[in-house]
Each structure stands twice: as structure tokens, then as C-alpha cells.
């Protein structure tokens, strides 16, 4: 019927989108090629020579042989080996003047996207167990790294779910195509999702932003999805740094980072690099329950290896069960991390582990280890510490000049005597600081050093009469100035109102509720709400999803 937007129309629109991103379009029926090969062999051969100009022909031939001949194994195992080739290069052996040598043949130039071949092809026939023709394939240097299955947006009886079923059928009928697959895509214009060869349908995810600065609301437009993932440099970054395998006993699961993980990890890496040049404080990486925190930490640890020239990473948790859980996830991804994490059994052991290396290493420990002594654990500057819910105040650790909290011992004529001791350095650092007591904001006028019960401060303002001994003094302007305390309010669509919140660490988060599927029913990373540093009120209880409060002082 005239006027309907057909699957062919949609396919042409997506192809045009890729052409606008600089991909070369190939109509597969026009090519003379081997229908029993999933590779675009002419492009692959040219790319291997272009990317490895100093390697002899024997080395190129060895790499080609390995790319075409995988030992008998499950599809996932073959794909894992290919991903290792793609991310790190193919180990080859060759002879020069009769002498055997070894080296690496690289399949991708990750530092210069312009040195790679990006092709979008449609109607690519491949014959294996049967004759199949996927809607679209993306070739990176001749390798079919993405399969796209489209469904007509105008036919009510088909949708993206049917595209998922078709992909699973392809994996049975033409499994060799998926040896080289990085990402599978299913799309029907209204819904576009990406996953891997091991993803269940509920684990295929939307990609709701092109650059991390703006998120589409309930359903991302198809151009946001395709441009968000497949912009050339971002696509290469995703392939190299945001696809990994998690080894779960005898099974392997291939994991593609979500858009929130991709952009947050890259921002965290940039912040960490900046911290190495300034005050050493990388910042807070905030997650909601069910949003993949452990895997985000894995991706972050992996990215740091290149970004900071192989630092040692210390992961701190506040409970042994969390330590075991997080350590387990890192251990499952040790091939991706290219190193095996270790447990520090004691503070002495932790110091030995840090002293015993100049770089590399992922060391897990609990916060309790830091209560045993205040001696410096290492003078090295290439150590990155990740704290997972390691709330310092739980173990009596308090900073003073860079205060987290202080406690009032007594008040006399506007002078506050503290229950903590203050050194002269601490006292000098406190002068001029903004503080908060029982919700009232003050600025410190004077601070005198002394032992606990003798150290004092005064403020520029008149103290509220409700403030008494035992009240706690917090830094004002929460997240910004040092007090890591927040309350989170999540509300649903159309639940409007105003929260009376203040503080330098206030962050507004505007997202839509409910699009992660049955695997994540609350979908807390896609909500409308506010992250507030001091307080938040429930505006519309019937739309309430979750209130979460935490602190780290």
C-alpha cells in the first residue's frame, strides 16, 4: 500500500546514516566473491598490509591462516579468540634469512581511525548450513564485526523481538559469520538495541545518547542509536575497551558496555588523569542498584592501563562479602584485564604487594586494613585507589584540616570546643571553611589548636540556640567541598514538584523511567529525579520508585 514506510525504506535510511558517518557503502550482489566465506577478503588483505607495512609476506600469510582457521571449539570460544586478535593483534611466526622470528599482526589501527576501512554492506549472501542473507553487515578492515537485522516499522506483526529471533536463527545456520562478530543489532525504527552473541533478548540495550551530554527520553531515535555507537572513533573505542568476556565456570558470557557505563568510565578516566596532575582526587563514580557497577569498575581498570601507563590499582571495600564479590567479577574478566587480581590478606601483605612492583597489579583489600596503622603504605605516585562503599567513618577514621566531620564538646559565648584534637596545621586549614550544623550554614572565623576538649573554633554568624553539645559539624556545600553525603529521589513521569535542596555538590539528573526490560525492572538509571546532597521530599508517592541515602564520612 502506498504511503507505508517499508523495511527497504528503513534499510536505505540506515545505510544513508552510515554513509554520512563516513562509511563506504557496498551492495553485496555487485561483488564477485566466495559465498562460503564471511570475510570481505579483498579489504582484509589490503588492510593487513596497510596496518603492518614492515612485516614480511610470510607474517601476513600466517595471520590470514589463523583468521580463517579456528580449532574445533564452541562458537563463543572461537569468538573470544577472535576478540583477542582484534583487540591485541595476532601472534605470528615467520622467517627472515632462515631465522625464525615472532611478532604481532594488527587487525585495527586504534590510534588513527582514518587508517581503517569502514564499510556498510547489505544483502550479503553467506552459505554454510543453509543459504542466508542478513540485512546489513558492518565490515571493519574486511571483518564482519557487526550484524544488523531490521524489521519493517509499518508491519504490526513484526518488531525488534522478531529480529532477535532471526539473529538466533542465523547463529544456528551460519555460525561462522559470528566468529567475527563484535555486536549484534536489532531495530524496527521505533526500538533499536545492541547485544552480543551470548545476550538474551532482555540484555539487548538501547543507546540513548550520541555524545553523553544528552539522553533521549523513553525510546531513543534510531539515528541517536546508530550514531551513538558507530561514530568511527567511538566504535573503535568500544571494540577495544568496552567488550569483554566473563568466565562463569564452564561458560563464557560476552559483555557489551551500556551507554551509561561507556560515557561514565571515559569521564572517570579523564578525571583520574587530571587528578594525577593536581590534587590526586579522581572524584565519585555514582551508580544506582542494578546498573552494572562491578563491570563499570572492570572497564575503568582496563582503560587506566593505557591512559596512565599501567598503574597499580587498589580496590577497597568495606565488607569481606563485597570484597569477595567484586574480586570474583575481576577474576572472571582477567583475560580482558590481562592480569589476575590478588587479595591482600593483611596490612603487611598489602604493603609487600605494593613494594614488590613498580607498575601493574590489581589488589583487593578491605577498609579495616587501614585502621591497623597510620603508616604510609607506599610512596609511589602511580597507584589508583578505587573505594567501593568504603565509608571511612565506619572505622573511626577522620580527617581534620580537610575535615569530614567534627563534634561539639561544649559551647560558651559563641566559642565551640571540639571533641577532637587539632594540630596547628589543622586549625589553619579550617579558617574560612564553610560548615553546617543541624542544617544551619556557618563560616569558621577562628580555629585554635589543642587536644580533644581544648581545641576550639568560632564562626562569623550567631549560632542557632538549638545547637548543643554532641552535635556534628559537617562541611557545607556537600559533594563539592568534601562531605560525600547524598539522598536520591526517583520519581516517575509527570510527577512534578520542587525539592528544597542546597549544597555545592548538587547534581540534577533528568532521565526517563522504565526501558531496561525485565532484567532490570526498576531501571533506576533511566528515571526522572534529583541527586541531592542534603535532603529531598517525596513529591508524588504514587510515582515513587526508590529513595536511597548514603554517606562516606
Amino acid at each position: 500500500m502506498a504511503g507505508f514506510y517499508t523495511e527497504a525504506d528503513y534499510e536505505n535510511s540506515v545505510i544513508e546514516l552510515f554513509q554520512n558517518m563516513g562509511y563506504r557503502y557496498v551492495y553485496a550482489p555487485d561483488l564477485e566473491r566466495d559465498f562460503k566465506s564471511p570475510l570481505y577478503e579483498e579489504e582484509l588483505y589490503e588492510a593487513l598490509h596497510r596496518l603492518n607495512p614492515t612485516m614480511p609476506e610470510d607474517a601476513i600469510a600466517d595471520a590470514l591462516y589463523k583468521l580463517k582457521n579456528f580449532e574445533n571449539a564452541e562458537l563463543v570460544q572461537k569468538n573470544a579468540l577472535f576478540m583477542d586478535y582484534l583487540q591485541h593483534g595476532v601472534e605470528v611466526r615467520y622467517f627472515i634469512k632462515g631465522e625464525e622470528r615472532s611478532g604481532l599482526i594488527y587487525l585495527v589501527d586504534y590510534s588513527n581511525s582514518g587508517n581503517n576501512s569502514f564499510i556498510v554492506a547489505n544483502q550479503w549472501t553467506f552459505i554454510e548450513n543453509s543459504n542466508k542473507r542478513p540485512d546489513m553487515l558492518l565490515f571493519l578492515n574486511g571483518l564482519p564485526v557487526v550484524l544488523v537485522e531490521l524489521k519493517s516499522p509499518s508491519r504490526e506483526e513484526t518488531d525488534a523481538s522478531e529480529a532477535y529471533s532471526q539473529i538466533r536463527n542465523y547463529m544456528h545456520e551460519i555460525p561462522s559469520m559470528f566468529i567475527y562478530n563484535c555486536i549484534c543489532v536489532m531495530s524496527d525504527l521505533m526500538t533499536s538495541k545492541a547485544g552480543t552473541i551470548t545476550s538474551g533478548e532482555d540484555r539487548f540495550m538501547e543507546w540513548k545518547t550520541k555524545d553523553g551530554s544528552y539522553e533521549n527520553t523513553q525510546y531513543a531515535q534510531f539515528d541517536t542509536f546508530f550514531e551513538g555507537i558507530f561514530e568511527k572513533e567511538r566504535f573503535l573505542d568500544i571494540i577495544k575497551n568496552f567488550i569483554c568476556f566473563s568466565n562463569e565456570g564452564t561458560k563464557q558470557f560476552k559483555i557489551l558496555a551500556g551507554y551509561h557505563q561507556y560515557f561514565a568510565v571515559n569521564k572517570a578516566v579523564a578525571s583520574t588523569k587530571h587528578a594525577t596532575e593536581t590534587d590526586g582526587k579522581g572524584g565519585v563514580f555514582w551508580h544506582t542498584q542494578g546498573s552494572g557497577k562491578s563491570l563499570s569498575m572492570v572497564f575503568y581498570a582496563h582503560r587506566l592501563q593505557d591512559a596512565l601507563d599501567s598503574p597499580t590499582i587498589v580496590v577497597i571495600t568495606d565488607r569481606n562479602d563485597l570484597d569477595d564479590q567484586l574480586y570474583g567479577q575481576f577474576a572472571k574478566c582477567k583475560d580482558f584485564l590481562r592480569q589476575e587480581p590478588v587479595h591482600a590478606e593483611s596490612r603487611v601483605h598489602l604493603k609487600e604487594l605494593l613494594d614488590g612492583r613498580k607498575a601493574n597489579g590489581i589488589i583487593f583489600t578491605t577498609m579495616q586494613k587501614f585502621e591497623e596503622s597510620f603508616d604510609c603504605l607506599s610512596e609511589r605516585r602511580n597507584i589508583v585507589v578505587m573505594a567501593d562503599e568504603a565509608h571511612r567513618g565506619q572505622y573511626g577514621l577522620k580527617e581534620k584540616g580537610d575535615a569530614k566531620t567534627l563534634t561539639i564538646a561544649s559551647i560558651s559565648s559563641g566559642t565551640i570546643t571540639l571533641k577532637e584534637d587539632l594540630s596547628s596545621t589543622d586549625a589553619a586549614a579550617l579558617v574560612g571553611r564553610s560548615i553546617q550544623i543541624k542544617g544551619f550554614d556557618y563560616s569558621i572565623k577562628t580555629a585554635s589548636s589543642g587536644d580533644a576538649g581544648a581545641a576550639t573554633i568560632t564562626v562569623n554568624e550567631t549560632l542557632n540556640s538549638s545547637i548543643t553539645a554532641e552535635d556534628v559539624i559537617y562541611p557545607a556545600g556537600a559533594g563539592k567541598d568534601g562531605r560525600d553525603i547524598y539522598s536520591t529521589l526517583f520519581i516517575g513521569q509527570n510527577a512534578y514538584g520542587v525539592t528544597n535542596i542546597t549544597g555545592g555538590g548538587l547534581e540534577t539528573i533528568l532521565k526517563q523511567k522504565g526501558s531496561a526490560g525485565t532484567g532490570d525492572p526498576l531501571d533506576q538509571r533511566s528515571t526522572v529525579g534529583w541527586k541531592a546532597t542534603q535532603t529531598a521530599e517525596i513529591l508524588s508517592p504514587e510515582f515513587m520508585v526508590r529513595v536511597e541515602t548514603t554517606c562516606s564520612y
Side-chain angles (χ1 to χ4, degrees), residues 20-77:
N20 291 338
M21 289 190 286
Y23 286 65
R24 179 161 61 89
Y25 168 57
V26 170
Y27 179 59
D30 289 344
L31 295 177
E32 291 186 9
R33 46 174 289 270
D34 180 2
F35 290 110
K36 293 186 178 181
S37 172
L39 304 172
Y40 193 163
E41 296 198 23
E42 181 181 345
E43 286 290 323
L44 175 59
Y45 186 77
E46 291 179 0
L48 292 180
H49 285 82
R50 181 175 66 252
L51 300 176
N52 304 276
T54 63
M55 297 298 279
E57 193 64 35
D58 284 353
I60 300 293
D62 191 22
L64 277 170
Y65 178 82
K66 289 183 175 180
L67 285 170
K68 293 180 179 182
N69 296 276
F70 288 82
E71 294 182 1
N72 290 332
E74 297 291 330
L75 173 60
V76 176
Q77 294 172 313

Side-chain angles (χ1 to χ4, degrees), residues 3-149:
F4 276 95
Y5 190 66
T6 66
E7 184 176 318
D9 293 329
Y10 184 37
E11 184 175 300
N12 290 333
S13 296
V14 175
I15 289 171
E16 183 178 353
L17 194 64
F18 276 102
Q19 288 178 297
N20 291 338
M21 289 190 286
Y23 286 65
R24 179 161 61 89
Y25 168 57
V26 170
Y27 179 59
D30 289 344
L31 295 177
E32 291 186 9
R33 46 174 289 270
D34 180 2
F35 290 110
K36 293 186 178 181
S37 172
L39 304 172
Y40 193 163
E41 296 198 23
E42 181 181 345
E43 286 290 323
L44 175 59
Y45 186 77
E46 291 179 0
L48 292 180
H49 285 82
R50 181 175 66 252
L51 300 176
N52 304 276
T54 63
M55 297 298 279
E57 193 64 35
D58 284 353
I60 300 293
D62 191 22
L64 277 170
Y65 178 82
K66 289 183 175 180
L67 285 170
K68 293 180 179 182
N69 296 276
F70 288 82
E71 294 182 1
N72 290 332
E74 297 291 330
L75 173 60
V76 176
Q77 294 172 313
K78 293 179 181 179
N79 184 246
L81 178 57
F82 169 73
M83 288 302 301
D84 185 63
Y85 290 163
L86 193 65
Q87 291 170 336
H88 304 110
V90 184
E91 290 187 11
V92 295
R93 292 188 176 278
Y94 55 95
F95 288 88
I96 294 182
K97 296 181 179 179
E99 181 182 345
E100 187 179 36
R101 299 188 182 184
S102 61
L104 285 174
I105 294 292
Y106 294 101
L107 307 183
V108 182
D109 186 343
Y110 290 104
S111 61
N112 179 12
S113 63
N115 200 26
N116 300 290
S117 164
F118 295 84
I119 291 174
V120 54
N122 64 337
Q123 307 306 313
W124 186 280
T125 298
F126 178 49
I127 302 172
E128 194 168 4
N129 296 331
S130 64
N131 184 326
K132 293 296 180 183
R133 189 173 59 189
D135 290 333
M136 290 173 52
L137 292 169
L138 301 186
F139 289 89
L140 175 59
N141 295 329
L143 300 164
V145 293
V146 178
L147 182 143
V148 181
E149 187 65 16

Side-chain angles (χ1 to χ4, degrees), residues 184-343:
C184 297
V185 171
M186 55 187 191
S187 178
D188 66 352
L189 180 64
M190 292 299 295
T191 304
S192 300
K193 295 183 178 182
T196 73
I197 61 171
T198 66
S199 300
E201 184 178 356
D202 63 327
R203 301 310 300 169
F204 272 67
M205 299 171 293
E206 295 183 90
W207 194 282
K208 295 186 175 184
T209 177
K210 294 182 181 181
D211 58 11
S213 63
Y214 172 78
E215 182 183 88
N216 276 185
T217 54
Q218 188 168 3
Y219 297 107
Q221 298 171 354
F222 82 94
D223 61 329
T224 297
F225 173 86
F226 286 107
E227 291 177 11
I229 300 178
F230 299 112
E231 183 275 326
K232 289 182 179 180
E233 291 189 359
R234 187 176 303 125
F235 183 36
L236 294 181
D237 190 19
I238 290 171
I239 288 176
K240 188 176 192 302
N241 298 308
F242 292 90
I243 297 176
C244 71
F245 284 84
S246 180
N247 297 309
E248 313 276 345
T250 59
K251 291 188 175 181
Q252 286 182 299
F253 293 94
K254 189 176 183 179
I255 297 166
L256 167 67
Y259 69 93
H260 64 292
Q261 293 169 314
Y262 173 81
F263 289 107
V265 165
N266 276 337
K267 287 181 179 179
V269 170
S271 178
T272 306
K273 290 177 68 175
H274 177 71
T276 64
E277 301 166 358
T278 54
D279 60 4
K281 297 179 180 180
V284 177
F285 192 144
W286 182 74
H287 275 73
T288 55
Q289 186 178 358
S291 59
K293 175 183 65 177
S294 297
L295 285 168
S296 292
M297 295 174 76
V298 168
F299 291 126
Y300 172 68
H302 170 77
R303 284 283 284 112
L304 285 178
Q305 298 306 309
D306 285 337
L308 294 182
D309 194 21
S310 303
T312 299
I313 297 171
V314 177
V315 184
I316 302 174
T317 64
D318 68 341
R319 300 197 311 272
N320 287 329
D321 58 335
L322 280 177
D323 190 41
D324 292 339
Q325 175 186 331
L326 193 56
Y327 171 85
Q329 184 61 73
F330 272 67
K332 292 172 185 176
C333 299
K334 64 181 181 180
D335 293 338
F336 175 67
L337 294 167
R338 301 183 80 75
Q339 54 187 317
E340 190 159 357
V342 295
H343 260 127

